[in-house]
């Protein structure tokens, strides 16, 4: 399948959590299409590596070490990125944490860590970038997960957090639509080679094959699949799409995704918790 080409020359794209995996793939997509790109994550090393990698396309690239839980730091970062780039045409909020853990054994702080990164972090990213979003015209993309609408064993923290992310998407779409800002969620399916897959899928090639078989399209997704969807949603072709929760998962959430919880149980050697 050939990839679509998009033209984002002259556009400014901010990707929160954009230094690895799916979100870095999205940053690559936009940078390759000509955009100036800023990425943010906690690890200075990951930020430096991502910036060096994204510079290959020739646009401006900025990187910031910051935690999405740190509202004060985010305010400084967004103001600085705005000074360097101008108004943001696209904002992606994708920082997240995940690990398999059952309700009765997970600590309150473990549950809170994921709520704080995924949900409060997305709120902070939206709240403190708003002044710097182009009005009208900006597109915000929150990165959700099938757990937002499918309960999965050992994923209560992620289910609760991502359900909240999708409601933030829908609320922000209502509040910001009148000023010409569209807000949508992308819901990736299982994406090959990512930290999320490493943490949740059974290990090794056999595990990846097992997950791929549970996808109606019979393959794992790639970061490019999600980047293509992000570039479509941010484009003029999607100018009337607002408040949508868009699965980009090969149909996985129609059924196969429910198997993941069972796979997680198998990984910890249990049939039931
Ligand atoms: P990943 O590589 O671990 O990406 C997470 C990114 O967020 C990294 O750049 C990480 O960098 C950053 N980050 C984590 N905590 C942060 C914090 N507190 N503040 C700022 N940045 C933070 O994982 P991924 O698997 O590609 O997942 C990316 C997104 O896709 C997530 O939103 C995830 O829920 C979603 N998703 C993934 C899959 C999948 O198959 N992988 C499926 C559905 C949905 P630092 O460590 O430097 O902070
Ligand atoms: N199982 C159960 N609890 C866990 C856990 C696991 N695998 N990993 C961490 N925790 C608990 C910790 O024990 C701690 O709880 P405690 O204080 O009661 O002991 C709590 O979670 C917070 O852990 P901490 O390491 O301080 O959090 P952090 O903010 O440094 O890191 C995480 C956040 C835990 C989500 C970490 O895994 C992370 O940084 N993830 C980012 C990458 C990622 O998950 N990518 C996939 C995205 S789909």
């Amino acid at each position: 399948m050939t990839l679509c080409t998009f033209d984002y020359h002259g556009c400014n794209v901010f990707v929160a959590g954009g230094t690895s995996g799916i979100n870095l793939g999205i940053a690559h997509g936009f940078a390759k299409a000509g955009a100036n790109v800023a990425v943010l994550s906690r690890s200075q090393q990951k930020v430096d590596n991502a910036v060096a990698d994204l510079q290959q396309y020739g646009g401006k690239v900025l990187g910031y070490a910051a935690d999405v839980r740190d509202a004060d730091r985010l305010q400084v970062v967004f103001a600085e990125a705005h000074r360097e780039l101008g108004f943001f045409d696209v904002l992606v909020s994708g920082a997240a944490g995940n690990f398999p853990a059952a309700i009765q054994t997970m600590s309150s702080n473990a549950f809170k860590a994921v709520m704080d990164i995924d949900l409060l972090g997305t709120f902070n990213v939206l709240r403190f970038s708003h002044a710097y979003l182009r009005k009208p015209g900006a597109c915000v993309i929150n990165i959700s997960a099938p757990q937002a609408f499918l309960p999965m064993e050992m994923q209560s923290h992620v289910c609760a957090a991502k359900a909240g992310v999708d409601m933030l998407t829908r609320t922000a779409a209502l509040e910001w639509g009148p000023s010409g800002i569209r807000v949508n969620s992308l819901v990736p399916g299982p994406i090959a080679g990512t930290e999320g897959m490493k943490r949740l899928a059974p290990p090794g090639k056999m595990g990846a094959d097992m997950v791929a078989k549970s996808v109606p399209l019979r393959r794992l997704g790639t970061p490019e699949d999600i980047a293509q969807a992000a570039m479509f949603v941010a484009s003029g072709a999607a100018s009337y799409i607002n408040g949508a929760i868009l699965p980009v998962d090969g149909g996985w959430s129609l059924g196969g995704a429910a198997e993941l919880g069972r796979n997680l149980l198998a990984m910890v050697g249990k049939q039931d918790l």
Side-chain angles (χ1 to χ4, degrees):
M1 183 79 66
T2 45
L3 299 179
C4 288
T5 52
F6 293 88
D7 186 357
Y8 278 95
H9 283 92
C11 292
N12 301 319
V13 178
F14 198 109
V15 187
T19 63
S20 61
I22 292 171
N23 306 323
L24 177 59
I26 293 172
H28 272 285
F30 281 105
K32 199 170 176 183
N36 302 314
V37 172
V39 293
L40 165 164
S41 83
R42 294 165 300 175
S43 153
Q44 185 68 59
Q45 187 62 58
K46 284 178 71 173
V47 169
D48 292 345
N49 292 345
V51 167
D53 200 9
L54 290 164
Q55 276 167 342
Q56 66 183 290
Y57 305 109
K60 258 194 188 178
V61 182
L62 305 174
Y64 300 96
D67 192 315
V68 292
R69 293 168 285 192
D70 183 346
D72 292 344
R73 172 81 181 125
L74 280 188
Q75 290 177 64
V76 171
V77 163
F78 285 130
E80 205 177 302
H82 172 252
R83 263 196 309 279
E84 292 287 324
L85 298 176
F87 286 96
F88 310 149
D89 299 282
V90 182
L91 171 79
V92 179
S93 177
N98 199 344
F99 46 80
I103 293 170
Q104 68 273 27
T105 51
M106 183 175 6
S107 72
S108 301
N109 197 41
F111 187 89
K112 182 174 182 298
V114 171
M115 292 296 285
D116 282 356
I117 299 169
D118 294 28
L119 182 52
L120 181 61
T122 298
F123 170 80
N124 285 340
V125 167
L126 267 56
R127 165 70 182 91
F128 296 113
S129 66
H130 179 259
Y132 310 117
L133 298 177
R134 195 179 300 285
K135 302 172 198 71
C139 177
V140 176
I141 298 174
N142 292 327
I143 305 301
S144 183
Q147 288 91 323
F149 47 90
L150 288 173
M152 286 183 196
E153 288 99 333
M154 305 186 88
Q155 288 285 277
S156 63
H157 44 340
V158 176
C159 292
K162 292 292 194 181
V165 167
D166 283 351
M167 281 311 281
L168 262 180
T169 291
R170 289 149 62 87
T171 315
L174 272 179
E175 291 189 9
W176 295 357
S179 59
I181 300 172
R182 296 182 297 114
V183 186
N184 295 289
S185 282
L186 290 184
V187 185
I191 306 301
T194 58
E195 188 62 30
M197 273 290 285
K198 199 161 93 191
R199 290 178 181 224
L200 298 187
K205 185 171 172 343
M206 257 176 62
D209 289 348
M210 192 203 290
V211 178
K213 273 200 196 120
S214 70
V215 179
L217 289 184
R218 296 290 186 269
R219 69 170 176 90
L220 298 178
T222 63
E224 291 75 26
D225 288 323
I226 310 302
Q228 288 268 299
M231 289 190 286
F232 161 68
V233 164
S235 76
S239 63
Y240 207 52
I241 298 181
N242 187 31
I245 311 298
L246 179 65
V248 188
D249 67 354
W252 194 53
S253 54
L254 300 175
E259 289 168 28
L260 183 65
R262 292 282 122 193
N263 290 335
L264 288 173
L265 289 177
M267 272 166 75
V268 296
K270 292 185 179 176
Q271 277 193 310
D272 290 301
L273 289 165

